[in-house]
């Protein structure tokens, strides 16, 4: 995040953060930096972010970012002067103040007066909420709460204290947990080798050192632990807190080092006395076998260090601060009493000898903390900004950069692995034709867009997997184990959908054959020719639709009467299904709506473009608009899930919540792109962007489904949580959707259509590849979406020349 105004953002509303800020070293400074970075990464087109650092007579810093405002709490008149400047700036819509009592010590009256002078909406974020206040503290906090337009706390217990002890208004309070970093989970043993800790059972704690951390509790517990676990090493990570240094120097650290000597723990305790880069810190936490949080302050509302440890999958043993009591309940950690070294030693020893329990606690904690990722914290803050500004902030999710690293990580020399455990490919799950067919399409589209020759390695792998799955009959098997053996599941599962997906992948591959190596093209052509005799024996609804799409692309370059007749045969079956089931209130192909639904109207749209039969056009539009009315809410999408299909004869008050799959959202986006390109209706374009925002957090949990740290996509959106595994299907589905929205593809405004009536349409600008002349490519400028190509008569061109729509 930078505080410099982006050139195109000077008309956007401004959010002012009043907070400590790096290079000042304190927890709130780091917190604010992480939050601001997340907000800027995700919503830089929605508002600008400005920082007003908090300083004092003993805290002066030089800031690397451009700073418009500064508040020195010890400067006479500083509060009033700042308030007047803020009020005079019409761009500022919200003032967000990060509050800790020590930051405004003995300045409470000036701070309250400052809030009273401000004419802008104020959000106060309490990092500490003290229970059982005396009269003066209660009066000051009540005044702050009354003057604030909104209040953020980080735990439910803090909210309860504000309501019960300070009489705060419940409707003002929002709980937004302390943010945590997304972690690319790395094997613990690999990291131990990296840091030369092989063979060690690692205990750790981290943070700016002060006596409040009560690390001596752990040191006193270690001798008993070492009797049973001589391989234990305790890491104390972090430099001494700068404020502590100014007051007492290294007194506390020296005391700890003396205790280590006295207890003869030199070989089992290691001080890492410096500020670690974030990447190194997260790796130390991931290699940790048990994380220890030993604070002796019962009123510590929240701990960032504690949160970071859990988000790295550490099993945590903690004193009963309110944050720990909330997060660690339900087998997500272990609580011990304040300053009870004997109890701590017993719990450590017990947990060290139970590896399965450590894994279980770590996993439970990790899933408990998933919603607290900084990306989700940013979403929660923005929702609050929207509420306060009442329409002044227009929320626009930033489009993530295309990241192919995870799909490559999931791929071996055999193919793409089916499942993962978190972000680690699970080779035991084997491979499927389904995933490799989808992967082939995604990689072909990326190669089409970038001409990155590294893609050819993966295109080759996926194509050869499809070839390996093809049998002598021309049909395909789907399931292959890690030893490259076909599994018994092929004998007990209907494989028509898998065969249809293979046709889709092969058709698209051959559609772009002019830019691919000839040897691969010959292979694909051979596979397709062997498969063609079986296509008209496919009767599964979605398998027929996949096949129609594949044949549509395959037929684009060299129109074949035989392929056109296959398209019509399959499309006629779909049309017959539609006519059999449809009524004035149910315009669908079956008496129920289940999975991959958008595929069906899209296939008939492709059939219309390939054959010019108007019945396909009519059914495609009617069925698609019917489906969209079922799955789009006012400003979001909620796809039909495996928790509850929709049935024609069942009236439901609402759709089931949870069970939403990335693949269904992706298929909807692919279809919307087709319909928007053909019919040029803004509603289709708007819905495409709305649907993609589902991956970025515009869903019922307001949590990210795409993981920008790994490049993977979570496997599903459940009612109360996100499935954190990042398997092949979900990741490829996200990539297909993301590539569909890529703004780097050619803009139709680069072409001019000849308007003379009765003449053959042509484009008067040459294109880079001879293959491109048979397709239409569309650029979507997300910031001006979707009015980009309204002046181009796309559908007329398509009707005239029947060119395939090239979805990139």
């Amino acid at each position: 995040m930078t505080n410099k105004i982006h050139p195109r953002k000077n008309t956007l509303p401004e959010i002012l953060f009043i907070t400590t800020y790096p290079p000042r070293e304190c927890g709130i400074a780091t917190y604010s930096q992480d939050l601001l970075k997340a907000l800027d990464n995700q919503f830089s087109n929605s508002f600008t972010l400005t920082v007003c650092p908090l300083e004092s007579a003993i805290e002066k810093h030089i800031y690397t970012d451009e700073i418009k405002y500064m508040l020195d709490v010890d400067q006479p008149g500083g509060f009033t002067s700042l308030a007047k400047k803020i009020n005079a700036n019409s761009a500022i819509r919200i003032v967000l103040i990060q509050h800790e009592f020590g930051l405004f010590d003995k300045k409470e009256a000036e701070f309250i007066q400052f809030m009273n002078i401000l004419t802008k909406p104020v959000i106060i974020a309490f990092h500490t909420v003290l229970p059982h206040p005396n009269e003066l503290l209660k009066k000051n906090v009540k005044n702050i709460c009354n003057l604030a337009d909104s209040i953020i706390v980080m735990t439910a217990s803090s909210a309860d204290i504000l309501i019960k002890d300070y009489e705060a208004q419940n409707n003002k309070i929002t709980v937004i947990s302390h943010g945590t970093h997304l972690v690319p989970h790395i094997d613990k043993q690999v990291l131990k080798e990296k840091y030369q800790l092989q063979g060690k059972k690692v205990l750790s704690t981290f943070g700016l050192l002060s006596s409040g951390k009560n690390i001596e509790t752990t040191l006193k517990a270690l001798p008993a632990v070492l009797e049973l676990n001589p391989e234990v090493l305790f890491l104390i990570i972090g430099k001494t807190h700068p404020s502590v240094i100014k007051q007492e120097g290294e007194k506390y650290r020296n005391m700890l080092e003396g205790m280590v000597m006295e207890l003869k723990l030199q070989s089992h305790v290691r001080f890492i006395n410096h500020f670690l880069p974030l990447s190194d810190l997260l790796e130390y936490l991931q290699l940790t076998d048990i994380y220890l949080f030993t604070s002796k302050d019962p009123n510590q509302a929240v701990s960032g260090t504690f949160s970071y440890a859990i988000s790295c999958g550490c099993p945590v043993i903690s004193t009963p601060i309110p944050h720990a009591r909330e997060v660690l309940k339900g087998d997500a950690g272990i609580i011990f009493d304040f300053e009870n070294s004997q109890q701590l030693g017993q719990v450590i020893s017990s947990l060290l000898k139970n590896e399965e329990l450590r894994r279980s606690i770590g996993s439970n904690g990790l899933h408990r903390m998933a919603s607290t990722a900084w990306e989700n914290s940013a979403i929660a803050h923005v929702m609050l900004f929207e509420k306060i500004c009442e329409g002044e902030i227009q929320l626009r999710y930033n489009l993530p950069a295309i990241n192919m690293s995870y799909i490559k990580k999931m791929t071996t020399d055999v193919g793409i692995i089916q499942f993962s455990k978190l972000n680690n490919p699970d080779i035991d799950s084997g491979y499927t034709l389904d995933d490799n067919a989808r992967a082939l399409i995604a990689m072909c589209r990326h190669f089409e867009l970038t001409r990155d020759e590294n893609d050819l390695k993966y295109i080759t792998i996926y194509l050869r997997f499809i070839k390996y799955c093809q049998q002598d009959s021309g049909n395909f098997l789907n399931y292959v184990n890690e030893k490259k053996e076909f599994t018994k599941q092929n004998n007990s599962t209907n494989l028509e959908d898998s065969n249809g997906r293979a046709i889709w992948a092969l058709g698209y591959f051959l559609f772009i054959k002019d830019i691919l190596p000839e040897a691969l093209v010959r292979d694909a052509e051979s596979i397709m020719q062997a498969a063609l005799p079986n296509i008209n024996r496919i009767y599964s609804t979605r398998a027929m639709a996949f096949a129609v799409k594949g044949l549509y692309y395959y037929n684009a370059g060299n129109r074949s009467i035989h392929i056109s007749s296959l398209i019509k045969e399959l499309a006629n079956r779909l049309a017959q299904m539609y006519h059999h089931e449809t009524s004035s209130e149910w315009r669908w192909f079956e008496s129920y709506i289940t999975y991959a639904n958008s595929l069906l109207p899209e296939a008939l749209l492709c059939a219309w473009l390939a054959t010019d039969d108007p019945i396909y056009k009519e059914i495609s539009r009617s069925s698609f608009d019917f489906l969209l009315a079922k799955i789009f809410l006012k400003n979001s999408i909620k796809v039909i899930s495996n928790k509850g299909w929709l049935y024609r004869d069942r009236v439901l008050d609402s759709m089931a919540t949870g069970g939403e799959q990335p693949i269904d959202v992706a298929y909807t986006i692919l279809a919307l792109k087709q319909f928007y390109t053909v019919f040029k209706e803004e509603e289709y374009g708007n819905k495409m962007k709305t649907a993609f925002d589902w991956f970025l957090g515009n869903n019922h949990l307001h949590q990210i489904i795409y993981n920008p740290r790994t490049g993977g996509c979570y496997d599903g959106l459940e009612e109360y949580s996100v499935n954190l595994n990042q398997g092949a299907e979900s990741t490829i589905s996200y990539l297909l959707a993301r590539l569909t929205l890529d703004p780097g593809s050619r803009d139709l405004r680069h072409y001019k259509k000849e308007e003379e009536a009765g003449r053959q349409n042509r484009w008067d600008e040459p294109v880079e590849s001879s293959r491109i002349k048979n397709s239409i490519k569309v650029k979507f400028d997300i910031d001006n979406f979707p009015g980009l190509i309204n002046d181009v008569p796309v559908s007329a061109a398509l009707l005239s020349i029947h060119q395939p729509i090239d979805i990139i």
Side-chain angles (χ1 to χ4, degrees):
M1 201 283 300
T2 176
N3 295 302
K4 297 179 181 179
I5 303 297
H6 296 279
R8 67 175 297 278
K9 295 167 62 178
N10 54 5
T11 60
L12 294 178
E14 184 176 335
I15 313 295
L16 177 65
F17 279 67
I18 300 177
T19 178
T20 58
Y21 199 70
R24 183 167 177 174
E25 294 176 332
C26 73
I28 292 179
T30 303
Y31 170 94
S32 294
Q33 184 181 50
D34 289 336
L35 174 58
L36 285 160
K37 181 179 179 181
L39 285 166
D40 195 61
N41 284 343
Q42 293 167 260
F43 301 105
S44 61
N45 292 314
S46 300
F47 43 73
T48 60
L49 301 168
T50 306
V51 173
C52 172
L54 283 169
E55 294 200 333
S56 66
I58 61 172
E59 288 285 358
K60 301 288 186 181
H61 302 279
I62 298 174
Y63 299 92
T64 55
D65 291 334
E66 179 182 314
I67 298 298
K68 294 172 63 176
Y69 304 101
M70 185 91 68
L71 176 57
D72 183 340
V73 298
D74 292 325
Q75 180 181 350
F79 284 95
T80 301
S81 174
L82 176 62
K84 290 179 179 179
K85 290 178 181 177
I86 293 171
N87 290 340
N89 187 342
S90 61
I92 295 176
R93 298 292 196 276
I94 295 173
V95 178
L96 197 162
I97 304 169
Q98 303 294 339
H99 181 278
E100 181 63 75
F101 291 103
L103 297 177
F104 303 102
D105 186 32
K106 300 178 182 177
K107 303 293 178 182
E108 293 85 358
E110 290 93 330
F111 178 67
I112 291 170
Q113 183 185 24
F114 166 73
M115 291 186 65
N116 209 13
I117 295 172
L118 285 175
T119 59
K120 311 288 185 177
V122 175
I123 302 173
I124 192 84
F126 283 113
H127 286 252
T128 296
V129 180
L130 297 173
H132 315 301
N134 59 35
E135 285 303 314
L136 179 59
L137 177 60
K138 182 175 182 177
K139 177 184 176 182
N140 286 336
V141 173
K142 280 186 67 174
N143 283 333
I144 292 171
C145 292
N146 289 334
L147 290 168
D149 292 87
S150 186
I151 301 164
I152 294 174
V153 293
M154 299 180 195
T155 64
S157 60
S158 292
D160 290 341
I161 293 170
L162 278 181
I163 294 168
K164 294 174 182 176
D165 291 359
Y166 298 93
E167 301 169 11
Q169 298 175 41
N170 184 36
N171 61 0
K172 278 190 176 184
I173 300 172
T174 301
V175 179
I176 304 178
S177 299
H178 192 294
T180 56
H181 293 280
L182 294 172
V183 176
H185 298 276
I186 304 171
D187 183 80
K188 193 182 296 289
Q189 298 310 315
V190 170
L191 289 174
K192 285 186 178 182
E193 290 178 12
K194 176 179 178 178
Y195 291 97
Q196 299 181 341
L197 296 171
Q198 305 97 310
K200 299 292 185 182
K201 292 288 181 64
V202 178
L203 315 177
S204 74
T205 192
F206 88 94
L208 294 171
L209 208 58
S210 68
S211 60
K213 293 192 177 296
N214 198 35
I215 290 172
E216 58 268 30
T217 297
T218 301
L219 296 181
K220 293 175 184 176
L222 278 181
V225 171
L226 289 168
E227 287 182 10
L228 300 174
N229 305 276
E231 70 278 20
V232 159
L233 178 68
F234 179 38
L235 301 179
I236 303 171
I237 304 169
K239 61 192 293 186
T240 302
H241 198 295
S243 298
V244 174
I245 292 283
K246 291 174 182 177
Q247 294 173 5
E248 61 181 44
E250 290 285 9
K251 178 181 177 181
Y252 182 63
R253 183 181 296 275
N254 292 337
M255 185 274 290
L256 294 177
E257 290 176 346
M259 183 176 291
V260 169
M261 297 284 288
E262 180 183 345
L263 296 173
K264 300 180 180 180
L265 299 173
Q266 298 94 317
S267 298
H268 300 280
V269 176
R270 183 180 301 176
F271 289 88
I272 302 176
N273 186 16
H274 55 273
F275 187 84
L276 289 176
L278 178 63
S279 58
D280 291 355
L281 173 61
L282 295 179
E283 287 187 348
Y284 269 111
L285 291 175
Q286 288 181 79
L287 65 79
T288 293
D289 292 288
I290 301 175
Y291 184 82
L292 304 174
F293 184 81
T294 55
S295 169
K296 62 182 178 181
D297 180 2
N299 295 322
Q300 183 172 350
V302 68
S303 167
T305 61
F306 168 90
S307 300
Y308 284 14
I310 299 175
S311 70
C312 287
C314 294
V316 172
I317 300 174
S318 173
T319 49
I321 66 167
H323 192 194
R325 292 200 303 269
E326 279 188 27
V327 173
L328 299 186
K329 63 184 178 183
D331 300 323
I334 298 175
I335 300 288
F336 78 102
D337 296 332
F338 291 108
E339 300 185 84
N340 191 331
S341 295
Q342 182 179 359
Q343 184 187 19
L344 175 60
Q346 293 170 349
V347 172
I348 292 173
S349 295
S350 176
L351 195 52
L352 281 176
K353 69 181 183 182
N354 193 334
E355 184 176 355
E356 183 178 347
L357 180 59
R358 292 202 306 274
R359 279 200 300 265
S360 175
I361 290 174
S363 176
N364 292 341
L366 178 63
H367 283 80
R368 185 75 52 80
M369 295 298 286
S371 63
T372 69
W374 281 115
E375 290 75 7
N376 294 330
S377 179
I379 294 168
H381 278 83
V382 168
M383 290 174 63
L384 184 57
F385 297 164
E386 279 193 299
K387 178 181 176 182
I388 290 174
C389 284
E390 297 181 349
E392 291 185 53
I393 290 180
Q394 183 179 354
L395 181 59
R396 290 189 288 266
Y397 288 83
N398 292 350
L399 197 62
I402 294 172
N403 182 355
M404 306 296 286
S405 61
Y406 189 70
I407 190 175
K408 293 178 180 179
K409 176 181 176 180
M410 289 282 289
T411 302
T412 69
D413 59 355
V414 173
I416 190 164
I417 296 170
Q418 183 176 192
F419 297 138
S420 74
K421 296 177 179 178
L422 298 177
N423 63 288
N424 295 306
D426 180 11
I427 188 62
D428 291 339
S429 67
Y431 311 86
T432 66
L433 173 66
D434 292 336
D435 291 330
N436 282 272
R438 284 186 286 253
L440 179 63
I441 297 169
M443 198 60 72
C444 282
R445 289 183 174 178
H446 186 258
F447 181 67
E448 222 183 345
L449 179 69
T450 65
R451 299 299 196 272
D452 182 352
E453 294 200 358
N454 291 319
D455 291 347
L456 293 174
K457 168 186 174 182
Y458 297 91
I459 288 172
T460 302
I461 290 172
Y462 304 141
L463 180 63
R464 288 179 178 170
F465 187 89
I466 294 174
K467 182 178 182 179
Y468 180 75
C469 289
Q470 190 171 42
Q471 304 302 290
D472 292 341
S473 64
N475 287 323
F476 301 88
L477 297 182
N478 186 39
Y479 301 100
V480 179
N481 66 21
E482 73 279 8
K483 298 177 182 178
K484 207 176 175 182
E485 301 166 338
F486 291 109
T487 71
K488 294 180 180 179
Q489 195 172 355
N490 289 295
N491 301 323
S492 59
T493 305
N494 187 325
L495 300 180
E496 284 200 351
D497 280 10
S498 302
N499 278 256
R501 288 187 189 94
I503 298 302
W504 177 27
L506 291 166
Y508 195 85
F509 179 94
L510 291 167
F511 172 57
I512 65 166
K513 62 185 178 182
D514 288 351
I515 62 172
L516 294 171
E518 291 183 8
L520 294 182
V521 172
R522 286 195 299 271
D523 263 358
E525 186 68 51
S526 174
I527 301 168
M528 179 66 97
Q529 288 299 320
L532 284 176
N534 299 310
I535 288 178
N536 64 354
R537 291 195 283 270
I538 290 176
Y539 286 90
S540 168
T541 309
R542 282 150 189 81
M544 290 190 293
F546 283 126
V548 168
K549 286 184 64 174
L551 294 173
Y552 163 70
Y553 285 113
Y554 181 53
N555 205 34
N558 299 295
R559 296 178 64 83
S560 158
I561 295 176
H562 174 55
I563 301 302
S564 295
S565 67
L566 279 176
I567 292 173
K568 285 186 70 69
E569 183 174 357
L570 297 178
N572 283 341
R573 292 178 193 169
L574 292 172
Q576 289 167 5
M577 293 176 66
Y578 177 84
H579 286 306
H580 183 266
E581 298 294 342
T582 192
S583 67
S584 59
E585 296 182 355
W586 184 265
R587 302 193 304 277
W588 197 242
F589 303 85
E590 299 161 316
S591 61
Y592 42 80
I593 304 178
T594 56
Y595 68 97
N597 300 302
S598 297
L599 169 68
L600 305 183
E602 184 193 1
L604 281 183
L605 181 61
C606 290
W608 169 57
L609 294 171
T611 67
D612 206 22
D613 189 332
I615 191 63
Y616 303 149
K617 173 188 175 184
E618 178 186 336
I619 295 174
S620 68
R621 292 207 66 176
S622 176
S623 60
F624 195 45
D625 290 345
F626 173 74
L627 175 65
L628 296 180
K630 298 293 184 184
I631 63 177
F632 276 91
L633 310 176
K634 183 178 180 182
N635 295 307
S636 62
I637 187 174
K638 183 179 180 182
V639 292
I640 295 162
S641 78
N642 56 21
K643 291 291 182 68
W645 307 135
L646 287 187
Y647 292 88
R648 180 179 54 197
D649 300 325
R650 297 182 192 175
V651 178
L652 300 176
D653 294 332
S654 61
M655 287 169 54
T657 298
E660 295 179 63
Q661 304 296 310
I663 193 168
D664 287 304
V665 179
Y667 282 158
T668 304
I669 291 169
L670 296 182
L672 283 165
K673 174 70 174 284
Q674 289 271 37
F675 278 81
Y676 177 59
T677 305
V678 172
F679 298 112
K680 229 166 30 82
E681 293 184 7
E682 289 190 11
E683 184 180 3
Y684 292 136
N686 289 329
K687 281 181 164 58
M688 183 163 59
K689 183 61 172 68
T690 297
F692 188 79
D693 288 345
W694 180 90
F695 289 101
L696 308 181
N698 186 18
N699 50 61
H700 77 269
L701 288 182
H702 307 294
Q703 294 182 31
I704 56 169
I705 308 300
Y706 169 65
N707 184 322
R709 181 67 181 84
T710 65
C713 181
Y714 296 134
D715 278 352
L717 177 70
E718 303 303 335
E719 185 171 3
Y720 301 110
S721 64
V722 172
N723 183 335
L724 299 183
N725 295 325
Q726 299 161 52
E729 177 185 292
S730 56
T731 295
I732 299 165
S733 296
Y734 167 80
L735 282 172
L736 287 171
R738 175 62 187 84
L739 290 162
T740 297
L741 266 70
D742 187 75
S745 52
R746 256 177 292 275
D747 185 335
L748 274 181
R749 291 181 301 181
H750 292 168
Y751 305 100
K752 294 181 179 179
K753 177 176 167 288
E754 198 167 84
E755 298 290 349
E756 296 177 17
R759 293 186 58 182
Q760 175 68 30
N761 292 288
R762 65 175 178 85
W763 308 113
D764 65 357
E765 180 175 316
V767 293
E768 297 173 2
S769 166
S770 60
R771 197 276 309 167
I772 302 298
K773 69 183 179 183
N774 293 318
S775 69
I776 295 174
K777 289 196 173 187
V778 181
K779 171 181 177 181
F780 292 94
D781 182 339
I782 298 305
D783 293 331
N784 299 299
F785 195 85
L788 180 70
I789 60 173
N790 284 348
D791 57 332
V792 181
V794 180
S795 58
L798 291 168
L799 279 167
S800 172
I801 59 178
H802 308 294
Q803 292 178 328
I805 308 158
D806 188 7
I807 309 173
I808 298 178

